[in-house]
């Protein structure tokens, strides 16, 4: 076997590529460190795949599609049943890996895995999900029916903040519909997706049906322009998502792009105070604020503005530490670069005149002095023109805006360019109904801070948070990963006497 020159001088374990059922070493010359954000320990080194390796992954998926598309629904469902059992069995192992490379607490990491597992469980219902429609005798002796058929090689580009959940949103639903898949996970935490891929192969996913390549912009562009890829699913930043959507659609692909957010939670004075405070603080600071569905803006209406000291007091009770440590509430952010970006935005908030109610800068964690830690931070007196309001901070930061009426709150949210999620805390059914009817946001929670729907429904972010008309998982993703074929048929008995030539479109 020819030595791989790319491995010379490697100082850590190398992350593999998955091509045609085999985990293989990349021959690239470009490698990046996978770093524990709490310690700066290099956990592994991830390759940025070569153009030839990317082509090989797509070619393997294309070849496997020829037979996989004809695999019976029941056989595909049984693989998903096995996969969900394996993910459940290895939940703790996956969570520990995720926590080490991403920084989440173990509890939050398990939640990350579990929300992906729910989608795998839903994929087991493909026998009913992929059913078509049938209408008998739509004209004399004529029947019409629809078939939902796979579309070919699909690809997924996933972010760093949910290295288990988002890949599990994508490849199980794509392959259970009869497609094959090429996944490009985040280069910052690829170990968790690779572990999931091992379980997928163990569950019986055939060679070539699931492939994984690693990389940055070059890999993203290769996916968007590759002639053999039919559809792309993306979750991540607005800038990259817009690029993926534009480039992918220009090259004739279906694209769904779930992007940035600025999620608001509106609190009315009649809300249950203790429950609302717990929900707001948890939704803002959980996962160190690195959720696209995090509640980053709290809108206090009228007398609820008096709750600010209570919010601050609740946030002060949160424990900042490495995600691996017991009792941790807020772990580190993903990288040193992310920490510096967040700190810069906090400086902007101070400079623009927002009141810093709780300052999480400069926090030190004993035993983890090199970690990327920022403590819970709260600004009040924020206006819609401030940078901390207009920018997705993606860190443990709450900005508080005060208004006098529910109408003002609705108007504020509807003027924001993002439409991922929003929530209302109230005990008034009339206020809740008004809010859900008038708000222009794709996902709404009523006394629910993070309104991510269960997999029976679809993720429905809107406006500046979403490009493409179909969202991940649920009924919409079946539409995304299949194409509808309509068949109109008529059968004649041998004794049937034919009529004359019919030049009209009538089927009478």
């Amino acid at each position: 076997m020819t030595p791989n020159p790319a491995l010379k001088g490697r100082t850590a374990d190398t992350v593999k590529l998955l091509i045609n059922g085999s985990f293989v070493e990349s021959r690239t010359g470009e490698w990046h460190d996978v770093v524990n954000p709490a310690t700066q320990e290099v956990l592994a080194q991830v390759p940025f795949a070569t153009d030839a390796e990317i082509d090989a992954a797509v070619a393997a998926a294309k070849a496997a599609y020829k037979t996989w598309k004809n695999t019976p629904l029941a056989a595909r469902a049984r693989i998903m049943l096995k996969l969900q059992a394996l993910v459940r069995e290895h939940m703790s192992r996956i969570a520990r890996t995720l926590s080490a490379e991403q920084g989440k607490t173990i509890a939050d990491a398990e939640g990350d895995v579990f929300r992906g597992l729910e989608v795998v469980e839903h994929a087991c219902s493909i026998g009913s999900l992929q059913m078509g429609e049938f209408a008998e005798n739509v004209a004399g002796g004529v029947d019409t029916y629809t078939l939902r058929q796979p579309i070919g090689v699909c690809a997924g580009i996933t972010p760093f903040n949910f290295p288990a959940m988002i890949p599990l949103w994508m490849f199980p639903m794509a392959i259970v519909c009869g497609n094959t898949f090429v996944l490009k996970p985040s280069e910052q935490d690829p170990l968790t997706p690779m572990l999931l891929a091992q379980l997928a192969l163990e569950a019986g996913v055939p060679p070539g049906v699931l492939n994984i390549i690693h990389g940055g912009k070059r890999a993203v562009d290769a996916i968007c322009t590759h002639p053999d890829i039919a559809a792309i699913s993306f979750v991540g930043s607005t800038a990259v998502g817009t690029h993926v959507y534009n480039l992918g659609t220009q090259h004739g692909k279906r694209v769904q792009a779930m992007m940035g957010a600025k999620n608001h939670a509106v609190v009315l004075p009649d809300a249950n105070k203790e429950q609302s405070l717990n929900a707001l603080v948890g939704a803002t600071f959980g996962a160190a604020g690195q959720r696209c569905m995090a509640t980053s803006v709290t809108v206090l209406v009228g007398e609820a503005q008096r709750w600010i000291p209570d919010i601050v007091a609740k946030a002060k009770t949160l424990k900042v530490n490495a995600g691996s440590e017991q009792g941790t509430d807020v772990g580190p952010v993903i990288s040193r670069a992310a920490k510096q970006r967040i700190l810069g935005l906090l400086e902007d908030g101070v400079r623009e005149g927002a009141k810093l109610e709780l300052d999480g800068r400069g926090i030190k964690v004993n035993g983890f002095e090199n970690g990327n830690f920022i403590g819970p931070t709260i600004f009040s007196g924020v206006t819609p023109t401030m940078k901390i309001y207009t920018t997705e901070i993606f860190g443990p930061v709450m900005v508080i805006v005060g208004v006098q009426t529910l109408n003002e709150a609705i108007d504020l949210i509807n003027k924001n360019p993002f439409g991922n999620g929003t929530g209302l805390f109230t005990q008034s059914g009339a206020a809740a109904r008004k809010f859900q009817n008038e708000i222009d946001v794709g996902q709404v929670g009523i006394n629910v801070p993070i309104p991510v729907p269960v997999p029976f429904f679809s993720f429905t972010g809107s406006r500046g948070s979403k490009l493409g008309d179909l969202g991940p998982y649920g009924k919409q993703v079946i539409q995304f990963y299949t194409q509808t074929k309509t068949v109109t048929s008529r059968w004649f008995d041998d004794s049937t006497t034919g009529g004359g030539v019919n030049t009209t479109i009538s089927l009478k």
Side-chain angles (χ1 to χ4, degrees), residues 462-477:
S462 62
R463 294 195 286 136
S465 296
K466 176 183 177 182
L467 290 172
D469 61 340
L470 298 172
Y473 64 79
K475 293 180 181 179
Q476 290 186 14
V477 86

Side-chain angles (χ1 to χ4, degrees), residues 65 68-81 83 119-131 148-152 154 168-181 205-206 209-210 473-474 477-478 481-482:
Y65 177 67
W68 179 247
K69 67 180 180 180
N70 294 319
T71 302
L73 282 170
R76 290 184 238 151
R78 280 192 289 271
I79 291 174
M80 290 299 111
L81 284 166
L83 177 58
V119 177
V120 181
E121 292 172 339
H122 190 53
C124 298
S125 303
I126 191 61
S128 57
L129 294 174
Q130 204 168 338
M131 282 183 178
R148 285 210 165 273
Q149 298 182 324
I151 57 177
C154 301
L168 290 175
W169 278 11
M170 294 182 183
F171 77 79
M173 296 305 300
I175 66 178
V176 83
C177 286
N179 305 289
T180 54
F181 205 79
V205 173
V209 172
L210 173 62
Y473 64 79
V477 86
I478 300 297
Y481 285 130
T482 61

Side-chain angles (χ1 to χ4, degrees), residues 41-61:
E41 173 193 2
V42 176
L43 303 174
Q45 291 178 311
V46 61
F48 276 30
T50 66
D51 291 343
E53 289 165 344
I54 296 171
D55 286 341
V58 177

Side-chain angles (χ1 to χ4, degrees), residues 446-470:
I446 305 299
N447 297 312
V448 174
I450 302 179
V452 178
V454 295
F456 315 122
F457 296 86
S458 297
F459 190 94
T460 52
S462 62
R463 294 195 286 136
S465 296
K466 176 183 177 182
L467 290 172
D469 61 340
L470 298 172

Side-chain angles (χ1 to χ4, degrees), residues 137-266:
N137 215 36
V138 296
V142 177
D143 302 326
T144 298
Y145 52 95
T146 61
L147 309 173
R148 285 210 165 273
Q149 298 182 324
I151 57 177
V153 179
C154 301
I157 302 168
T158 62
F160 75 82
N161 58 331
F162 285 94
M165 182 182 79
I166 304 298
L168 290 175
W169 278 11
M170 294 182 183
F171 77 79
M173 296 305 300
I175 66 178
V176 83
C177 286
N179 305 289
T180 54
F181 205 79
V182 177
L183 176 67
K184 194 215 83 67
S186 171
E187 66 277 12
Q188 296 189 85
D189 45 15
L191 301 177
T192 301
M194 295 306 293
L195 181 51
L196 294 173
Q198 292 175 13
L199 298 180
L201 296 187
E202 186 178 341
V205 173
V209 172
L210 173 62
N211 305 272
I212 299 182
I213 56 103
H214 306 286
K217 183 178 185 300
R218 182 170 53 81
V220 169
D221 289 354
I223 287 171
C224 292
T225 59
H226 202 291
D228 292 329
I229 290 178
I232 303 169
S233 182
F234 171 89
V235 176
S237 72
T238 295
V240 179
T242 302
H243 174 74
V244 168
Y245 183 83
N246 290 337
L247 189 60
T249 53
Q250 286 168 12
H251 285 80
K253 306 181 190 317
R254 294 184 183 184
V255 182
Q256 56 174 209
M258 306 296 117
M259 307 184 298
K262 197 70 176 179
N263 305 312
H264 299 66
V266 177

Side-chain angles (χ1 to χ4, degrees), residues 17 40 69 104 189 206 316 374 383 405 427 450 465 475:
L17 307 174
Q40 307 307 317
K69 67 180 180 180
K104 289 186 179 183
D189 45 15
K316 284 181 176 179
I374 298 175
T383 67
T405 66
Q427 297 189 74
I450 302 179
S465 296
K475 293 180 181 179

